[in-house]
Amino acid sequence: PRSPYFMLRLARLKAEEKNYKDAKNLLDKLLKIAPDNIEGWTLAGSIATQENNNLAAEKYFREAYEKQPENDTLARYYVTQLLKLNKFQEARRLLLRLESTSDADDQLDSDLTFQLGYVLFQLEDFAEAKKRFVSLIDKVNDKDRMYFYAAQCDERLKDSQQALSLYKKIAPSSEVSKVASQRIIQPSYRDWE
């Protein structure tokens, strides 16, 4: 039988076996008869990712996300592909839209908030990027990394005192502590204390 369920299941098995050609052929047929099948679009995107075909992965994840825009996981997949393709403006628009539609009870996912901070940093909107990084300090396990990114924003904003204070909050055991320590003792920073 060529039911969408059967075709998707068979495509998954082919993908697990790394037989991507057969998996893609099955998915092409599936998506023609069931174009709203989110799992099919997502699997096609995952296969394209495995094949390092970022353009195709973006297309598939965009299709999946557009069919289910409330799904944070699909949004994350789509944004990740946009970032791989350096489509920062498009990622910014999408992430700001997601952020604006979230409310106090249903806040934007921490990963998406981080991605928004990263995108804003890349677009040199350092004040807005810093807000996102600071908002994550009490929500993520790696607070030190958020301090580090926020300090990087302050450096770009030429707020040396604030950058120094954030660098000093980073624990010595953190992965970013060595770089933070170097930023603290650089000659241009000696005047801060």
Side-chain angles (χ1 to χ4, degrees):
R2 291 293 178 195
S3 73
Y5 172 78
F6 175 77
M7 293 170 82
L8 179 63
R9 188 176 162 112
L10 190 55
R12 266 199 206 110
L13 290 171
K14 296 291 184 185
E16 286 171 11
E17 296 168 354
K18 301 203 183 314
N19 184 346
Y20 297 134
K21 183 179 177 190
D22 287 349
K24 288 189 295 189
N25 287 336
L26 286 163
L27 288 169
D28 285 343
K29 292 174 188 173
L30 164 70
L31 295 172
K32 283 180 185 164
I33 62 171
D36 290 335
N37 189 304
I38 303 295
E39 291 177 65
W41 289 109
T42 304
L43 180 57
S46 297
I47 290 170
T49 300
Q50 290 296 316
E51 295 180 323
N52 293 318
N53 186 344
N54 293 325
L55 284 173
E58 181 215 350
K59 178 186 113 179
Y60 294 130
F61 287 131
R62 180 181 61 241
E63 286 289 336
Y65 169 73
E66 287 175 352
K67 291 174 184 345
Q68 205 172 76
E70 70 283 354
N71 186 322
D72 284 349
T73 301
L74 294 176
R76 228 181 350 267
Y77 292 158
Y78 179 35
V79 168
T80 298
Q81 292 309 312
L82 291 173
L83 297 179
K84 286 180 180 180
L85 296 168
N86 294 324
K87 293 185 176 183
F88 295 114
Q89 291 291 350
E90 196 172 332
R92 178 182 170 273
R93 278 191 297 277
L94 170 65
L95 289 164
L96 286 174
R97 186 174 64 231
L98 289 170
E99 184 181 61
S100 71
T101 59
S102 61
D103 55 32
D105 295 332
D106 186 30
Q107 291 184 339
L108 189 63
D109 173 277
S110 294
D111 290 337
L112 292 173
T113 300
F114 177 78
Q115 286 181 322
L116 178 56
Y118 174 78
V119 166
L120 292 167
F121 187 88
Q122 294 300 315
L123 295 172
E124 298 185 6
D125 189 349
F126 302 118
E128 289 298 315
K130 181 185 175 186
K131 285 182 194 175
R132 284 13 178 250
F133 295 136
V134 168
S135 76
L136 292 171
I137 289 172
D138 293 328
K139 297 177 184 170
V140 297
N141 292 332
D142 194 355
K143 294 176 193 248
D144 294 325
R145 193 170 296 277
M146 295 307 112
Y147 285 130
F148 181 81
Y149 293 138
Q152 291 284 300
C153 292
D154 281 329
E155 278 192 45
R156 284 5 177 249
L157 293 167
K158 308 268 188 254
D159 189 344
S160 304
Q161 292 298 324
Q162 184 59 33
L164 180 62
S165 107
L166 289 169
Y167 282 132
K168 286 183 174 181
K169 290 182 179 186
I170 295 172
S173 60
S174 172
E175 290 179 14
V176 294
S177 68
K178 183 176 180 181
V179 176
S181 296
Q182 291 170 346
R183 302 303 294 168
I184 291 170
I185 61 172
Q186 281 184 346
S188 62
Y189 287 13
R190 287 189 187 137
D191 301 335
W192 296 0
E193 298 183 349

